[in-house]
Amino acid sequence: ADTIKVGILHSLSGTMAISETSLKDVALMTIDEINAKGGVMGKKLEAVIVDPASNWPLFAEKARQLVSQDKVSVVFGCWTSVSRKSVLPVFKELNSLLFYPVQYEGEELEKNVFYTGAAPNQQAIPATEYLMSKEGGGAKRFVLLGTDYVYPRTTNKILRAFLHSKGVKDTDIDEVYTPFGHSDYQTIVANIKKFAAGGKTAVISTINGDSNVPFYKELGNAGLKATDVPVVAFSVGEEELRGVDTKPLVGHLAAWNYFQSVKNPVNTEFIKKWKDYAVAKKLPNAATVVTNDPMEATYVGIYMWKQAVEKAKSTDTDKVIATMGGQTFKAPSGFELTMDKTNHHLHKPVMIGEIKADGQFSVVYKTKTPIRAQPWSPFIPGNEGKQKL
Amino acid sequence: MTSYMMSGVLRPGQQYEGATGDQGVSYGRIKQEGVDTTHGAILYLEDIVVSFDGFKAINNLNLDISVGELRCIIGPNGAGKTTMMDVITGKTRPTSGTAFFGQTMDLTRMSEVDIAHAGIGRKFQRPTVFEQHSVFENLELAMKMDKRVKTTLFARLNSEQKDKIAAILQLIRLDGQEQRQAGLLSHGQKQWLEIGMLLIQEPQLILLDEPVAGMSDAETARTAELLNELRGKHSIMVVEHDMGFVTEIAQQGKVTVLHEGSVLADGTMAQVQADERVIEVYLGR
Amino acid sequence: MSATTTFAMAKGLFSKPAWTGILVCAVIAVLLPILNLSFPVGHALHISSYTIALVGKFMCYALAALALDLVWGYTGILSLGHGVFFALGAYAHGMYLMRAIGRDGVYQSNLPDFMVFLDWKTYPWYWAMTDSFWYCMALVILVPGVLAFIFGFFAFRSRIKGVYFSIITQAMTFAFMLLFFRNNTGFGGNNGFTDFKRILGFTITAPGTKAALYLITLLILLSALFLCRWIVTSKLGRVLQAVRDSESRLMFIGYNPLWFKLFVWTLSAILCGIAGALYVPQVGIINPSEMSPANSIEMVIWAAVGGRGTLLGPIIGAFTVNGLKSWFTAAFPDLWLYALGLLFILVTLFMQQGVLGLVSKFKKQREPA
Amino acid sequence: MLEVKQLHQHYGSSHTLRGISLSLKKGECMALLGRNGVGKTSLLKCLMGVLPVTEGTVSFEGRDINKLSPHDRARAGIAYVPQGREIFARLTVEENLLMGMASLPARKAGKIKDEVYQLFPVLKEMLHRRGGDLSGGQQQQLAIARALLAEPRLIILDEPTEGIQPSIIKDIGRVIRLLRERGDIGILLCEQYFDFARELADHFVVLSRGEVVAYGGQELMDGDDVKRHLAV
Amino acid sequence: MIFRKICASIVLLVFSLTAHAAIDGKLLQALAGDDPDARITAVNTIAALGNEEAVEVLTALKNEQLFARDVAVYLVDGEQAKDLGTGKMQKLPDDAEAITINNRLRAALDSALSGLRLFSPDKNVRLVAATALEKEATPEQLPLLNKAYLKENDSEIKSRLQMLIATANLQASDPVVRKAAVKALLDSPNPNLKPVLQKMLAQNPDGSYNEADASIRLEAANTLNAIDGRLARMEFVGNLFYGVSLGSVLLLAALGLAITFGLMGIINMAHGELLMIGAYTTYVCQMLFRKFMPDAVDAYLLLALPAAFLVSAAVGILLERTVIRWLYGRPLETLLCTWGISLILMQAVRSIFGAQNVEVANPSWMSGGITVLGSLVLSYNRIIIIFFALFVVLAVWLILNKTRLGLFVRAVTQNRRMADCVGVATGKIDMLTFGLGSGIAGLGGVALSQLGNVGPDLGQNYIVDSFMVVVLGGVGQLAGTVIAAFGLGEVNKFLEPVAGAVMAKIVILVFIIIFIQRRPQGLFALKGRSVE
Ligand SMILES: Nc1ncnc2c1ncn2[C@@H]1O[C@H](COP(=O)(O)OP(=O)(O)OP(=O)(O)O)[C@@H](O)[C@H]1O
Ligand SMILES: Nc1ncnc2c1ncn2[C@@H]1O[C@H](COP(=O)(O)OP(=O)(O)OP(=O)(O)O)[C@@H](O)[C@H]1O
Ligand SMILES: [Mg+2]
Ligand SMILES: [Mg+2]
């Protein structure tokens, strides 16, 4: 064939559509861009889009369909960990490639997957360190607040071990979980307030998706300001803030590897391309589109795959995997990102941003250089032997 | 798997909720022979009170019916006749008082199903049949037999039973219509079907609530005939407002008049018809 | 019972056209994996593994829909919580499959990865013996069965009916979902079980294993269909319909609806659990979202689309709805919800008896001509 | 005022009414007789518009009402006491009575006339009880009261005496006679209680298997012809 | 709003001050610099100036209105920028960079500004400032506080300042002062005092106490007890309020369903989407106001309420006339059909507004809250929603029970054919009833938009809860729905602190199941024959 098919596996309906739809659009934009520049090895890319509808078994079915029916060379997709876990066996069985663009809990390393989002040490731990620093407010007590599922549980487990290592006692850590879709945060905010009376407190939020809005609204109305109890979130980015009135949230934080507000030529161009694309394709709310970390990770992932294919001179899975390691790419974050030679994760810079009134972040901290991912957190017992990976 | 289920659900002779202790209405067995009628009466109602949010629909009602008796009950609208039947069949629990079937079975403490098993059958004031089932199936369902899950699952009609159904069909003049859906019958036909279901159930005590309402005079006469035939074979309690019909079936037997929840008068039809109070509240001048 | 009478009985189960339909479908269904295995990829007669996997999955759904129809279509008990039985059956089988991974997991431990991760040193008590396949198969039947029995016993004894029953089944599945979402419950949190390696020593991804699972599913689906059909055509079936239409009348002629309802309800839960158990190895994942209220509602919708109270209808419905969903989500990923939504509306408006009702309507129209 | 011509009705493939014609004048009472299941109720339902007719016309006060919906017929002045009472079970007795006046404009529908209570004293006692809780006979009384409140010009009664105690049957008879004597109202009475019907009716019609097999004035009602069609 | 007041009064303050001195350029540059510690020092030094300029610069910095270019620092106000070095007004140079602040600096600014504002002539400003200082009254602030206390003549502010001084004095070296402070704090509502007092009472490993004076310890224990007691009471009241609030949300979500499902018997799975439509209508109203009447944007809710009611009602009526009217008497079909409708509506919203959530901001009169019992904040939006819910219930109750329409609605839903026969235009009533239920759902949507997210999934999050509420209360029983909603809200909120949010939810569901066992027809079951 004179085209190379690539699969896009993001939920366009159901609960996760809120986050994943824009990843599909970014992927299409990137593919258009690559095609406009002549494609990959002279062949045009052809996107095959499916909608797994936020349904995990359907993810597996759709992945199988993409790989075995549509014969795509690579799949870009998934957001939640469980969707990734659901498709993993398929990619292993059919020996195909998946690029996963979202920050996650780690504890996984698959030959067939490249992780372009952050591992915990590229997000959670630096953020906590920042909160404990003088600049970050010198927090002594921590509320670990999350939605009850694997990513928050794992992250909090890692963080607890990390905090222990920093001398924080268990009495100064409060771990709280809410069900999916929880929308009444009155009690929790009241408890945070109570807990915060005991000393300088920070909240580390791994609240997922939709629940963030009610949480932040409650926070704002209860008068908990960022200067009193800062909240750092790992799942809240520019895209999520579009749905929130950010004025009461000024000063709360998020940790990512990229922010739209980062200033550098690559990013300026990236943002412009995206805005133009949104207008050209008449995406809903095209006037107010924003970029965020997973979008950048998708963008980087597609380009890195392209480079690897061109180096391998083939789309064959094993060959591409072989050439993927060591690929570099000048990313919108302003850093040159490298795909690790062994662990399939990107070396990424860590940035911490404070929410501004306009829904953007002002970067208050960033690492000097990209950091290597530790998918097997050293803070989890049993992972000692895996640190070289 | 199925057999596992079955043994899990139903142990033969299993006691169950609502069954009174030692006299033991064992589940699933039609204990018709078990009714202890040594004192000649099959049904005793003693000081029954039923009150709905303070309104006493039945007020200190005392009544008994002997074995084989055909008893007519009359009384003004709202006198509590239907409520009394509800009490007897377990549909309504009395606020106080006792209701005994035979000497031993306390109806107020038995469930509807147990009461039906014990041998009380009832025709409702408004005809109630299984509307989605055919006439034949209605009779099949009502037919006297073991009504437990397992036996029902494996039940097949034998020729004797089929004959019985055919006979009843003829009796209620729905032969030829046995495959029709019961819901499509006219009002009077449903009345007949319900009577048919009652007969095939072979209860010891039959309760009939306005059996001839909505029947033409000819049909009424036939029903009367039928009841006269059944006289003596079953104990029967009939509630009706059709005086002609009541006179026909009561013959020289006792007629009870209810009023405001208790017995106003009883005696032969002629006696009650002459009673001033009965004329006042019920018959009119 | 002699062979001939059995045969005669079997013949009486369905009408002649229905028999033809069932046989044709069954033969095609059996042919699929054979074609898949015996012709190489690219051959004109080759059936892709994807198709096999898809049909296998749909058969599990069909079994669940069939089970639901038994209680809903015939007894009038609308369950909005059958997903929980499906999922419990699936989890029961999943426990075995997790144990069968052995030390091939990420942490190379005897325990499943998620337990290692939670620092559990041993299996919790309810995982005892789950390394035995047969024990797990017993669980597949017992867990949904016992849960349904207990739940049903109390609900039916209290004479909970109609929407009240539907809503408490929904509450039940919702509660179970939240419970299973908790990591500490010991069933892998929201990720559930996945990444199975083998079943009874066979590699789970091997084409032969898949074909075998597929055929077993087909066999069970057909047997369940015959079983259900036999039940609903028996006198018990008529009692069930009487329960649906006038429960109180039934009591006055001496049937205790409690046991009848409990019987089908439990049987239905068990069938649904079996469907779940067949589903796990074929789909490769089970997690608590199967217990979400929406999933149970979808099952009801399969039955309704196919035509409730017909047994064959729900099977057809499960295939139709899921087939369309699979097709739509790939063919019009942005618009498919419109198409599916419209389908549901049209079915209710124009096909009161579902797809199957449409068939019989056509037949009726042709007959007089 | 009421003219029925060649009315046919089918339930699916079964032909229930076969070409029924009848006419009723103002101030008259017509009795509709027939055995069980001959189609009396079906005919009345057709007149009320609850059942669609397959063929034939129904006209009321010179107007073809075939196409009108039941509520339009009610507003045109037809009131209906259905077989089986059809009380609004969860409305109170009072509300049920108010519903009887639903066809009247709001300003006329506020107050329940006392005559109703005189006729059916129980209703006054039970004003705040739910309709469905009443005894069968009480419900029947309520249904009749409800129809009377609509100030109808044609009243259709389907077995109104069913389940009612004798004294009240007499009262009902009196009311019907009163209405008839007023002369401005047509009454169509479907009855099994032959003596009752005979006393009240000016005319009668006997149905058998969906057809009119006998009709005439009151004097003919005791004739053998009628007896034959009513016998089993 | 409060913020604006403060700004206004600062302008006043500026005029009232006499001294006028430019701020040292070095200080300004330090503000703009990279060294965080230097910036903090600069802030405090500027604050110490205590003059009009200081307030102006610090406020500007807090609002991120300061820009820097080389050594020059500009204060931007609208189009114009003032060069703080020269005091000249000019246009902001293109390459000037905003001076950003972080939380640490923001906190320093807050406390500095509060200190300054203690001397504002405006009483409210002083009150706010005093309250703001409560969190960290330190001995260093004592001179300032004392000065303010002496100058203050408002009794409320005075007592607050007294508390502040006492708080600061807890760490005084003089035991007499400490004791007085501890005693003075007996009535303090401030929970932040607890750790300080606890520390005083704590025993060191060597057996000595942090607070050497036993009598002070006694007083401290006393004060601590008093504070604990007050906190417990506050927590109870808090839970009560949270429960009522959650209940009102459930009620608003369920009320429309109580009509469409409870009365009409339609298993309306699209109910959630009608809520969603209400919420999106609110969003559109807000956008319209932002576009055409930016000054009156706070009033958008007033438009949103009728608009949401009408839009949802219109959608409902459309659905009823086209689809649902064919399904009366077939409740289970309505489930399938409305499920389809719900899919379509959700996807339609996704196509029009995008899959992401949209932003609906609380109008300023709904943000914030009142503080009761010291530190319990009851937020305005929740209070308003509680009253709104009660208002809507009352309205619905009146319509259904006190109007002819309501009578017809109930009659039609009970016996459609007979209602038709007595002269009720059933089609019209059906349409109006469904429209009313949908419209009420729209109103619910407006309320929900003030608390949670507005997105295509909004409805899905409430549909299960709504059905539970309606069924628990007893289908068709308005009073039941109300009690069920508030009951569930309270039970949930009193469970949550004990069991955690997840287990609380599970327990609630189990509770519902058991409750229905006891009352198979819901809370307000109808008894008697009329039910059959
Ligand atoms: N659930 C209830 N709530 C309130 N009142 C009730 C209830 N059930 C029955 N009643 C009242 O109790 C009285 C007795 O009713 P019942 O049906 O037993 O009368 P009945 O003798 O059968 O009359 P009829 O001859 O009209 O059938 C009536 O006044 C009725 O209104
Ligand atoms: N919904 C229906 N579908 C089909 N057939 C029906 C339906 N309703 C009634 N029928 C049939 O139509 C015929 C006439 O019924 P109808 O109710 O009019 O009789 P009726 O003269 O009123 O009898 P009754 O005196 O018993 O009330 C009966 O044979 C009945 O079985
Ligand atoms: Mg009665
Ligand atoms: Mg009739």
Side-chain angles (χ1 to χ4, degrees), chain B residues 161-234:
Chain B
Q161 288 168 322
K162 280 183 189 153
D163 292 345
K164 207 151 114 194
I165 290 179
I168 294 278
L169 276 171
Q170 236 166 22
L171 186 72
I172 61 175
R173 260 162 313 115
L174 283 172
D175 46 334
Q177 308 223 36
E178 65 260 28
Q179 292 313 326
R180 277 192 78 187
Q181 209 176 315
L184 304 184
L185 296 179
S186 82
H187 181 77
Q189 290 168 325
K190 281 182 196 162
Q191 294 271 49
W192 272 109
L193 177 57
E194 205 181 355
I195 293 174
M197 289 167 71
L198 197 56
L199 295 179
I200 206 164
Q201 199 184 327
E202 297 178 23
Q204 270 203 314
L205 174 64
I206 296 181
L207 309 177
L208 295 166
D209 200 352
E210 307 199 6
V212 300
M215 281 192 187
S216 63
D217 294 349
E219 303 259 329
T220 305
R222 269 192 53 92
T223 312
E225 240 171 71
L226 179 69
L227 287 185
N228 282 327
E229 267 169 44
L230 294 177
R231 181 190 301 277
K233 298 185 197 137
H234 303 261

Side-chain angles (χ1 to χ4, degrees), chain E residues 349-369:
Chain E
V349 165
R350 257 184 218 120
S351 307
I352 301 170
F353 295 98
Q356 296 84 3
N357 290 334
V358 294
E359 178 219 332
V360 175
N362 289 346
S364 60
W365 49 271
M366 269 178 89
S367 0

Side-chain angles (χ1 to χ4, degrees), chain C residues 246-267:
Chain C
S246 172
E247 189 174 333
S248 62
R249 185 74 184 92
L250 201 61
M251 291 191 294
F252 290 110
I253 56 175
Y255 294 92
N256 192 346
L258 171 65
W259 302 111
F260 286 88
K261 286 201 218 175
L262 206 49
F263 168 69
V264 273
W265 170 250
T266 310
L267 177 66

Side-chain angles (χ1 to χ4, degrees), chain B residues 1-2 4-6 8-10 14 16-17 27 89-91 112-113 116-117 120-122 124 128-133 137 140-143 145 147-149 152-156 194 197 201, chain C residues 9 141-142 146 149 153 157 159 227 230-231 233-260 262-263 266-267 270-271 274:
Chain B
M1 179 181 55
T2 330
Y4 150 74
M5 267 309 307
M6 231 86 71
V9 177
L10 294 163
Q14 174 181 5
Y16 89 110
E17 277 284 322
Y27 176 73
T89 50
K91 193 170 169 205
E112 290 103 313
V113 183
H117 272 287
I120 299 184
R122 170 177 187 189
F124 289 82
T128 40
V129 296
F130 299 114
E131 310 240 329
Q132 301 296 316
H133 288 68
E137 285 167 348
E140 181 199 4
L141 284 178
M143 178 145 50
M145 63 178 293
K147 285 169 179 169
R148 280 177 299 170
V149 175
T152 315
L153 182 58
F154 294 101
R156 290 285 174 275
E194 205 181 355
M197 289 167 71
Q201 199 184 327
Chain C
M9 259 181 61
I141 290 169
L142 280 174
V146 169
F149 186 86
F153 179 79
R157 201 187 54 163
R159 307 223 177 128
L227 174 72
W230 178 68
I231 289 174
T233 48
S234 74
K235 182 171 174 191
L236 185 121
R238 291 191 282 284
V239 174
L240 293 180
Q241 288 173 51
V243 168
R244 182 181 68 186
D245 299 332
S246 172
E247 189 174 333
S248 62
R249 185 74 184 92
L250 201 61
M251 291 191 294
F252 290 110
I253 56 175
Y255 294 92
N256 192 346
L258 171 65
W259 302 111
F260 286 88
L262 206 49
F263 168 69
T266 310
L267 177 66
I270 290 173
L271 286 178
I274 294 174

Side-chain angles (χ1 to χ4, degrees), chain A residues 108-312:
Chain A
E108 184 180 296
L109 225 188
E110 290 294 342
K111 162 179 166 258
N112 297 85
V113 184
F114 286 95
Y115 306 79
T116 57
N121 73 316
Q122 294 171 311
Q123 190 187 27
I125 290 185
T128 314
E129 268 172 340
Y130 175 76
L131 288 175
M132 297 175 81
S133 73
K134 193 167 150 203
E135 233 6 63
K140 304 264 182 309
R141 316 190 80 198
F142 294 86
V143 178
L144 308 182
L145 172 64
T147 303
D148 195 4
Y149 74 106
V150 172
Y151 169 66
R153 290 265 180 192
T154 317
T155 308
N156 290 342
K157 184 175 163 123
I158 294 171
L159 285 181
R160 190 180 278 268
F162 170 74
L163 289 172
H164 286 168
S165 79
K166 293 282 172 184
V168 180
K169 285 197 287 296
D170 272 332
T171 46
D172 287 330
I173 305 175
D174 189 18
E175 215 172 318
V176 183
Y177 293 98
T178 59
F180 269 98
H182 193 65
S183 60
D184 191 288
Y185 279 89
Q186 299 182 89
T187 309
I188 285 171
V189 168
N191 281 346
I192 291 176
K193 234 174 155 174
K194 200 165 111 192
F195 189 77
K200 187 68 194 170
T201 301
V203 177
I204 299 178
S205 152
T206 37
I207 293 178
N208 175 262
D210 267 6
S211 294
N212 278 301
V213 179
F215 172 59
Y216 279 121
K217 281 198 172 170
E218 197 60 51
L219 209 58
N221 284 323
L224 271 186
K225 290 209 286 298
T227 43
D228 312 330
V229 182
V231 177
V232 60
F234 301 148
S235 314
V236 176
E238 292 86 345
E239 186 83 355
E240 286 73 21
L241 288 184
R242 279 170 86 185
V244 201
D245 173 19
T246 42
K247 280 177 241 77
L249 304 187
V250 169
H252 289 302
L253 306 122
W256 290 103
N257 311 111
Y258 164 87
F259 284 109
Q260 178 177 339
S261 60
V262 174
K263 289 215 167 48
N264 66 65
V266 185
N267 190 31
T268 314
E269 201 197 327
F270 177 61
I271 296 169
K272 182 173 179 318
K273 277 189 297 205
W274 170 236
K275 294 199 158 159
D276 292 348
Y277 181 83
V279 172
K281 294 285 162 171
K282 299 204 175 61
L283 299 185
N285 282 333
T288 58
V289 292
V290 291
T291 59
N292 69 5
D293 180 283
M295 287 158 85
E296 191 231 24
T298 302
Y299 183 76
V300 172
I302 298 180
Y303 266 103
M304 282 213 169
W305 170 79
K306 168 182 185 273
Q307 292 170 6
V309 169
E310 281 170 344
K311 187 171 172 200

Side-chain angles (χ1 to χ4, degrees), chain D residues 15-72:
Chain D
H15 198 168
T16 344
L17 300 179
R18 307 158 185 254
I20 293 197
S21 301
L22 53 87
S23 85
L24 176 70
K25 290 203 196 56
K26 223 183 204 167
E28 280 184 357
C29 174
M30 172 180 282
L32 187 62
L33 306 170
R35 284 197 294 260
N36 290 132
V38 293
K40 302 181 297 293
T41 300
S42 306
L43 174 62
L44 300 187
K45 283 184 177 168
C46 285
L47 298 184
M48 200 56 215
V50 176
L51 276 181
V53 300
T54 18
E55 224 185 293
T57 58
V58 182
S59 61
F60 177 61
E61 297 181 328
R63 181 153 73 116
D64 182 359
I65 57 168
N66 240 1
K67 295 245 152 46
L68 294 189
S69 60
H71 62 265
D72 286 328

